[in-house]
Amino acid sequence: MTIDTLTIARPDDWHLHLRDGQALQAVVAATARQFARAIVMPNLKPPVTTVKLALAYRERIELALRAAGVAPGVFTPLMTLYLTDNTVPDDIVQAHESGSVVAVKLYPAGATTNSDAGVTDLLGRCSAVLETMQRVGMPLLIHGEVADQTIDIFDREAVFIERVMKPLRHAFPELRVVFEHLTTKDGVEYVRDAAGPVAATITAQHLLYNRNAIFQGGVRPHYYCLPILKREAHRVALVQAATSDSARFFLGTDSAPHARGLKEHACGCAGCYTALHAMELYATAFDQAGKLDKLEAFASFRGADFYGVPRNRDVLTLVREPFVIPTELAFGDETIVPLAAGESLPWRMA
Ligand code: NCD
Ligand code: ZN
C-alpha cells in the first residue's frame, strides 16, 4: 500500500546556519515554516563565543522572524556557543544558567566555513571547559573532521574518530556529545555502538546523494558541503541508521546558505541550502528506502528526547505531490541556489 499523506509531529532542526543581517532575513522564515525549533550554529564573523553575544544574536533572529511575518511562539531558536581555545568554564556556567544557550559547538580550527577561531588542541586547551560541560550536562556538538590537510578529504571524518573522538570520550565518558552531520559508515558504527550519551545528526543531502553528485557532467558547486559527500556505501549506511530504531540518529539539515556568487566561484564556499525544502528532501529519502513510517521518530522525537525538551504537539503534513525546486531565490541583494534546484521531488508540505 502506498502512503500518499503523512502527518507527523512538527519536526525540529538540530543543526542549522541562519547567518546574520540580510541573509538571516532571507532564510529564517523557510525554517520557521517547517520546524518548531532549531539549533542555531554560532559560526558568524566574528563567532558567537559568549552568552552575551548569543543572546544578542537571538534578539536579531527574533526581529527577523517578526519582520518576515512569523507569529511569536511559532519558532524557537536554540542558541549555541562557539568553542575556542580561550573559552573558560564560567562561559559554560553562564550558558547553562541562561536557559537560551543549550549547547557548545566544536569546530576544529580550519575545518570549515568561518572556523579560523576554532579549537587547535581540544584536550590540551579545553579540558577545564569540557569538565564543566560534563558536570552541568551541556552537550558538545562536534564538527567531526580533522583539519589536517595531509589527510585525504574523504577520510577526515574517520581519522577524527580515532584522533579526537575516542580520546575525548575516554577522558569525559559522561559528556553529552552530538556528532554533527555524520557522513560515513565509520561514523555510523561509532555512534551506534559507543557507550555513553552520544548521538548524531544527519543531513538530507548525505541521505540522498553520494559524491558522484558533485561531479555529474561537470563540477556542481551546489552539491559541495563539508563534510563532503562520500561514496555510495557510506550513503547506504546513513540511510540505514536514519531509518533504524536507534534513538541516536536524528535530523539536522546543516542548511548553510551562501550567495550564488560565492558558490559559483574559483574557490567556492562549502554548504548546501536546504531550509526551503528540508522535509520534502527527507521524505523523499525515507520513501526511497521504504521507511516513511520512521520519518517521525527521526525528524520529530529523537532530537527532542536527546536534548531533554518536550516533543512538539502540533503537526506537519506532507503529501505525495510533485514539488519543483526553484532554480534560485532572493537572498538580500543577491540570490541563492537551493539544493537540487530545478529538479522535482515527489513530496511536498501540505
Ligand atoms: C557550513 C557553513 O557554511 O557554515 N558549511 C557546510 O558545508 N556545512 C559549516 C559547517 O557546518 O561545516
Ligand atoms: Zn553546519
Side-chain angles (χ1 to χ4, degrees):
M1 199 188 76
T2 64
I3 301 169
D4 291 323
T5 304
L6 186 64
T7 296
I8 61 172
R10 193 141 178 263
D12 300 304
D13 184 351
W14 300 100
H15 182 127
L16 175 66
H17 299 270
L18 282 177
R19 312 304 191 202
D20 212 343
Q22 285 192 348
L24 165 64
Q25 192 61 62
V27 301
V28 73
T31 291
R33 185 172 150 264
Q34 301 205 322
F35 298 100
R37 295 170 289 211
I39 291 274
V40 180
M41 289 296 134
N43 62 331
L44 303 183
K45 264 183 176 168
V48 180
T49 49
T50 64
V51 171
K52 199 170 165 216
L53 288 170
L55 296 181
Y57 184 29
R58 188 181 199 279
E59 279 303 306
R60 298 197 296 282
I61 295 168
E62 294 289 355
L63 285 174
L65 285 162
R66 298 301 93 80
V70 177
V74 166
F75 174 75
T76 306
L78 305 172
M79 308 311 292
T80 58
L81 290 190
Y82 187 116
L83 184 65
T84 74
D85 287 347
N86 302 318
T87 306
V88 293
D90 189 52
D91 292 320
I92 306 304
V93 172
Q94 280 186 39
H96 181 61
E97 287 168 358
S98 74
S100 298
V101 178
V102 304
V104 174
K105 178 70 189 268
L106 164 63
Y107 290 102
T112 187
T113 310
N114 298 350
S115 63
D116 308 347
V119 172
T120 58
D121 173 11
L122 183 63
L123 290 181
R125 303 294 296 261
C126 302
S127 278
V129 164
L130 295 167
E131 182 72 52
T132 307
M133 290 177 63
Q134 177 169 256
R135 180 168 56 76
V136 303
M138 172 85 41
L140 180 65
L141 316 183
I142 299 184
H143 183 109
E145 287 191 289
V146 290
D148 181 344
Q149 299 298 304
T150 67
I151 303 295
D152 190 285
I153 187 170
F154 294 99
D155 297 335
R156 286 180 196 165
E157 183 171 292
V159 171
F160 184 90
I161 295 171
E162 299 305 320
R163 284 197 194 166
V164 185
M165 196 61 117
K166 286 184 179 172
L168 166 71
R169 301 210 48 268
H170 182 74
F172 300 98
E174 293 309 318
L175 180 67
R176 303 170 61 67
V177 165
V178 183
F179 203 142
E180 297 290 334
H181 38 51
L182 204 61
T183 65
T184 59
K185 187 168 186 284
D186 315 66
V188 165
E189 286 167 2
Y190 175 76
V191 170
R192 187 192 61 201
D193 300 336
V198 187
T201 54
I202 304 180
T203 76
Q205 64 266 25
H206 292 100
L207 294 176
L208 286 167
Y209 305 111
N210 64 39
R211 64 194 195 178
N212 284 346
I214 312 167
F215 306 105
Q216 209 179 4
V219 70
R220 304 266 189 154
H222 301 289
Y223 291 82
Y224 170 58
C225 67
L226 288 172
I228 197 160
L229 294 172
K230 304 295 193 299
R231 49 168 78 239
E232 177 65 6
H234 296 294
R235 188 193 70 82
V236 169
L238 292 166
V239 170
Q240 272 169 5
T243 61
S244 75
D245 290 321
S246 168
R248 292 186 166 183
F249 301 98
F250 47 82
L251 185 155
T253 63
D254 193 22
S255 177
H258 292 281
R260 177 171 209 144
L262 291 176
K263 292 285 296 174
E264 299 172 6
H265 190 277
C267 187
C269 293
C272 299
Y273 180 59
T274 54
L276 171 79
H277 49 334
M279 289 308 297
E280 286 83 350
L281 291 163
Y282 281 108
T284 301
F286 276 63
D287 195 13
Q288 279 172 8
K291 293 284 175 73
L292 274 174
D293 57 317
K294 304 289 185 185
L295 183 60
E296 183 176 46
F298 175 78
S300 314
F301 294 162
R302 295 181 196 147
D305 297 352
F306 181 87
Y307 278 89
V309 296
R311 294 177 179 185
N312 297 315
R313 290 212 248 143
D314 46 346
V315 296
L316 176 139
T317 298
L318 293 151
V319 290
R320 190 188 295 277
E321 280 172 19
F323 175 74
V324 179
I325 304 167
T327 50
E328 68 176 4
L329 303 158
F331 189 62
D333 298 334
E334 304 177 83
T335 62
I336 188 166
V337 179
L339 183 72
E343 290 177 32
S344 177
L345 298 172
W347 286 89
R348 67 182 307 145
M349 213 178 123

